[in-house]
Amino acid sequence: MKRRSFTQLTAMAGLSFILPHYGCKNSSHKSPNHAELKAFGESSLSLLTTWCDAMIRDQINDPNDSVMHGALYCHACDLIHGRCPDAVYPFLYMADTTGEQKYLDAAIKVMDWSENVDKPDGSWTNMLDPKSWNGTTVFGAIALGEALHHHGHILPNDIKEKWEKRLKRAIEYVYQKFDMHFSHINYRFTAIYALYFLGKHFNEDKYITRSKEFAAEIPKWLTEPNKLLFGEDKPDNDKSAKGLYPIDLGYNVEETLNAMVQYAVLEKDEELLELLTQSLNGHLAFMLPDGAWDNSYGTRQNKWTYWGSRTTDGCQPAFSLMADRNPAFGTAAVLSTELLERCTVNGLLAGGLHYTSHGVKPCMHHTFAHAKNLTFVLDNMEQLQQVNKKTPLPRSTQDGVKHFPELDVWLGARGPWRNTVSSYDQIWKKPYSVAATGGSLAVLWHEKVGPVFTASMVEYIEVEPANQQPQPGEDFCLTPRVERYVDGVQFTNVQDLKAKVSVTDTDGVIDFAISTALTNREKETLKTDGDFQLNYSIDSDTTTIKALRTGTAENGDALVLPVISPTGEKVVISSENQIKIHKPEGIVTITSNVPMQIKEMEKERIFNQVPGMEVVPIMVSFPEGIKEVICTLAII
């Protein structure tokens, strides 16, 4: 297509991209929150433009190399992610709304490259390796389908016909291969929307019928009492020793719930929409006041970033589409988008807050995945009514404690403090990939400075090597813990799947009491000499952490407090019993009844890919003869 004709075709589209489509169709139809909705559209488009321009910058241009030409190169992982053709949707949107040829060229090139991951059965592989996973075809089918549905009119006819044929093969693969036992729950329930949407697109009744069959299964996969979606493990309905199902909040809110809501909205299934409203409410309880998704305990915590999950797409579709049912859903969509913008580094979405300060490159996968969902929101603005951040999130106004029995996780709030305590005993990729458990203080957050503690994997294990960035430098667990090394083997409470938690809320103080045993990666305990009583007490001013040795050992134990702090923040050792970390918003003061020290580090800070944070590792060793260590944190 010649540049002039393409520009003429799309010039007017760029004038109205931030307005609801109904504004053009019916000028008498007014959005009740037009200014806020417009602002959300403008911020989404600004971020999408940044991401698309960076993806084009890193798109390989070498017509003589068909294996490389058109791919989006990931400098962080030093490879090509096979799902990069998902970027066809945001590229085609940008081409349609701006009239700029570079976006159309990028879309065509990335789809041409996708032939490198084609399989004869109609699927696409997740990597260049033809034997790699191909279930991700369902996501590529949705991306290509949305691109053609909304913006196919700007394509030359021969290219459009080629893409339509390729899309038909992809959704036929989903129809043939997906059933209610296919992989994890996110694939099956994403297929609900893919089959329905593309069934309508191709006028293919069998896809729509299968979609409705899958949708009828939704109630069976929601927990009681909070309607959390489970099934993120294999087997997907295998209960833990405590009787708990596998649940991953990151995958749920950034992927699976989107497809369920998108289907229900298209089908106008009011009964399902009501059920999904309850489910979104259950999940929303875990969003922190700054828009972060607290997935400290999730089964797939190995991919937890502060904003969500590494290879999922973002929460914006589900929460923006449902904001008329609960305005706080709109707040979640806006705050999440703002957090994604804060985590954007050199034009690409980084996997956490501290990639710049630690010199870690952002993975390309985050960007092309999340760009799709911002594009979906911009393409469906006419359906949005309440998307703003006027209504506070549950954790912004919460006071007290809420227990989620389907997770054995507690959310606490008092004054400016928010915390998460986890005794969830599900394990992903058994037996070693352990997220926050053992009665751990998985998250500690303060309204002045944001995250103070966040959990990580006990060991950073690349259980999905193609979908996890390598750990830069030392592998150091970020979860606050007690630990002891015996003959080089770590024993810690955050490996204890049998820890018991009790909670009281008396006289303004919330106290979590944990009975735990130091446990190694093989789930062996130190028996009678490794027992501990932990207490996390929060009031309006302070958080106090106590570690009482109830076993018989006399030394070798330590309380480890990895305090979130990016490189450059001033650390002052006021005395052997007090350390202060100066942040722009306040000073984090840690005071102990025994001497503290900062662990030796290769760099100024230790960084962990889960959830993309740097820390100051404070070590509080038990002096000989001392059975209890008490540390108090205050923000001034």
Side-chain angles (χ1 to χ4, degrees):
M1 181 177 288
K2 295 181 179 178
R3 177 178 175 82
R4 184 176 181 183
S5 62
F6 172 63
T7 303
Q8 289 174 336
L9 178 65
T10 60
M12 292 305 294
L15 299 178
S16 59
F17 60 85
I18 59 175
L19 298 177
H21 292 178
Y22 59 64
C24 304
K25 297 174 184 175
N26 182 357
S27 60
S28 65
H29 191 137
K30 301 288 186 180
S31 168
N33 293 284
H34 181 75
E36 293 90 347
L37 188 58
K38 181 180 178 181
F40 179 55
E42 289 174 336
S43 62
S44 297
L45 179 79
S46 175
L47 183 55
L48 181 63
T49 303
T50 297
W51 287 348
C52 284
D53 287 348
M55 288 191 288
I56 290 175
R57 178 198 66 207
D58 292 339
Q59 189 170 36
I60 299 170
N61 287 288
D62 186 356
N64 296 320
D65 188 344
S66 61
V67 178
M68 303 292 284
H69 181 63
L72 306 182
Y73 192 75
C74 181
H75 293 277
C77 301
D78 196 24
L79 51 77
I80 296 169
H81 294 286
R83 285 180 59 189
C84 67
D86 287 13
V88 65
Y89 182 29
F91 283 157
L92 216 58
Y93 171 88
M94 292 296 296
D96 196 5
T97 57
T98 69
E100 292 192 48
Q101 187 73 29
K102 67 178 182 180
Y103 297 118
L104 181 60
D105 291 344
I108 292 172
K109 284 191 293 187
V110 81
M111 278 307 299
D112 284 346
W113 179 85
S114 72
E115 294 177 7
N116 287 285
V117 289
D118 270 353
K119 292 192 73 173
D121 62 3
S123 67
W124 291 291
T125 55
N126 193 55
M127 301 299 292
L128 278 167
D129 180 358
K131 296 182 180 179
S132 61
W133 176 239
N134 60 350
T136 48
T137 299
V138 69
F139 309 116
I142 291 173
L144 181 55
E146 297 281 9
L148 288 167
H149 176 74
H150 291 285
H151 310 290
H153 59 271
I154 70 172
L155 291 168
N157 287 336
D158 59 334
I159 291 179
K160 184 179 180 183
E161 290 176 6
K162 178 182 178 181
W163 289 8
E164 289 280 5
K165 290 179 180 178
R166 183 62 189 87
L167 177 61
K168 185 63 162 61
R169 291 178 57 228
I171 194 59
E172 180 66 20
Y173 165 80
V174 173
Y175 174 77
Q176 294 291 339
K177 297 297 183 180
F178 280 42
D179 57 26
M180 282 309 295
H181 300 287
F182 185 89
S183 191
H184 306 124
I185 197 68
N186 71 84
Y187 290 98
R188 283 166 266 155
F189 281 0
T190 300
I192 294 173
Y193 176 61
L195 289 164
Y196 190 89
F197 169 56
L198 295 176
K200 294 288 187 180
H201 181 80
F202 288 115
N203 194 27
E204 188 69 76
D205 288 341
K206 68 179 184 179
Y207 298 159
I208 296 171
T209 299
R210 179 66 54 78
S211 170
K212 291 182 178 181
E213 290 171 355
F214 281 14
E217 298 289 317
I218 289 175
K220 301 177 184 178
W221 295 86
L222 299 177
T223 66
E224 294 296 339
N226 294 291
K227 307 297 183 187
L228 302 180
L229 181 66
F230 68 88
E232 281 304 326
D233 202 352
K234 293 181 74 174
D236 50 23
N237 61 354
D238 191 20
K239 291 184 178 181
S240 69
K242 292 183 178 180
L244 308 179
Y245 285 118
I247 297 171
D248 188 82
L249 186 96
Y251 264 80
N252 289 357
V253 299
E254 285 217 317
E255 192 159 273
T256 318
L257 284 169
N258 288 322
M260 295 157 70
V261 168
Q262 288 166 308
Y263 162 82
V265 169
L266 279 182
E267 175 64 4
K268 297 181 175 61
D269 186 334
E270 184 58 37
E271 183 177 353
L272 179 56
L273 286 167
E274 176 55 35
L275 181 63
L276 292 176
T277 300
Q278 298 174 47
S279 184
L280 263 62
N281 278 323
H283 289 81
L284 185 61
F286 291 91
M287 177 173 267
L288 290 161
D290 58 2
W293 285 110
D294 175 4
N295 194 33
S296 53
Y297 49 85
T299 53
R300 306 186 73 174
Q301 191 229 34
N302 61 297
K303 294 166 74 173
W304 180 36
T305 67
Y306 194 57
W307 39 254
S309 191
R310 286 188 173 274
T311 57
T312 54
D313 299 343
C315 70
Q316 284 73 18
F319 284 85
S320 61
L321 285 171
M322 299 286 276
D324 59 329
R325 294 169 180 266
N326 179 356
F329 296 161
T331 301
V334 174
L335 290 179
S336 175
T337 305
E338 292 177 351
L339 180 57
L340 296 178
E341 194 281 329
R342 292 199 300 276
C343 290
T344 295
V345 175
N346 195 24
L348 297 174
L349 177 59
L353 292 172
H354 298 157
Y355 275 61
T356 297
S357 56
H358 204 74
V360 181
K361 295 177 182 178
C363 174
M364 175 65 73
H365 204 305
H366 309 155
T367 304
F368 65 69
H370 284 74
K372 294 184 299 181
N373 275 7
L374 287 191
T375 305
F376 177 88
V377 167
L378 289 166
D379 267 336
N380 290 274
M381 293 291 283
E382 76 277 6
Q383 298 193 61
L384 310 184
Q385 298 181 34
Q386 302 281 344
V387 183
N388 57 61
K389 55 180 181 180
K390 292 182 177 180
T391 304
L393 297 172
R395 286 189 96 167
S396 295
T397 58
Q398 177 190 8
D399 182 76
V401 182
K402 179 173 181 179
H403 181 226
F404 287 76
E406 57 264 68
L407 290 165
D408 214 22
V409 166
W410 291 257
L411 302 184
R414 182 57 34 89
W417 299 99
R418 302 292 181 270
N419 70 5
T420 304
V421 175
S422 173
S423 191
Y424 187 41
D425 67 337
Q426 273 281 355
I427 303 178
W428 169 254
K429 298 292 183 182
K430 300 172 177 60
Y432 301 132
S433 181
V434 178
T437 187
S440 58
L441 184 56
V443 167
L444 182 65
W445 189 96
H446 190 278
E447 65 182 18
K448 265 191 178 182
V449 301
V452 179
F453 296 131
T454 60
S456 71
M457 301 169 72
V458 181
E459 304 170 58
Y460 186 73
I461 302 173
E462 293 184 49
V463 292
E464 299 178 60
N467 296 322
Q468 290 182 246
Q469 286 180 247
Q471 174 65 27
E474 179 182 0
D475 180 12
F476 184 81
C477 177
L478 302 195
T479 315
R481 61 193 180 278
V482 285
E483 67 180 17
R484 183 192 309 169
Y485 281 85
V486 179
D487 297 328
V489 176
Q490 183 193 39
F491 288 79
T492 172
N493 71 292
V494 295
Q495 297 270 28
D496 180 12
L497 301 180
K498 299 179 181 179
K500 292 181 171 50
V501 179
S502 61
V503 187
T504 59
D505 186 352
T506 307
D507 297 330
V509 179
I510 299 173
D511 182 70
F512 296 87
I514 293 91
S515 296
T516 183
L518 299 185
T519 306
N520 67 11
R521 73 197 305 257
E522 307 292 342
K523 307 304 174 286
E524 300 167 337
T525 68
L526 286 173
K527 304 191 185 300
T528 58
D529 69 344
D531 294 341
F532 270 84
Q533 172 77 30
L534 303 177
N535 288 84
Y536 317 126
S537 301
I538 61 172
D539 59 33
S540 295
D541 299 316
T542 62
T543 289
T544 300
I545 300 172
K546 299 179 181 180
L548 174 65
R549 181 194 292 134
T550 56
T552 58
E554 286 298 323
N555 53 46
D557 296 325
L559 173 64
V560 184
L561 303 177
V563 180
I564 301 298
S565 172
T567 296
E569 289 184 347
K570 183 179 179 182
V571 179
V572 176
I573 302 176
S574 304
S575 70
E576 65 178 11
N577 295 89
Q578 188 175 83
I579 295 175
K580 294 182 178 181
I581 301 174
H582 292 248
K583 294 177 172 288
E585 308 87 356
I587 301 173
V588 180
T589 302
I590 306 100
T591 305
S592 175
N593 68 322
V594 299
M596 297 182 289
Q597 61 181 353
I598 296 174
K599 181 184 183 296
E600 291 186 6
M601 297 174 280
E602 298 174 1
K603 299 178 70 172
E604 187 176 332
R605 294 290 190 273
I606 288 178
F607 177 89
N608 198 303
Q609 291 283 8
V610 180
M613 303 284 200
E614 288 185 298
V615 299
V616 175
I618 297 175
M619 313 294 291
V620 191
S621 298
F622 281 68
E624 189 170 355
I626 299 296
K627 296 182 70 69
E628 185 174 38
V629 166
I630 303 172
C631 293
T632 299
L633 291 89
I635 314 294
I636 57 174

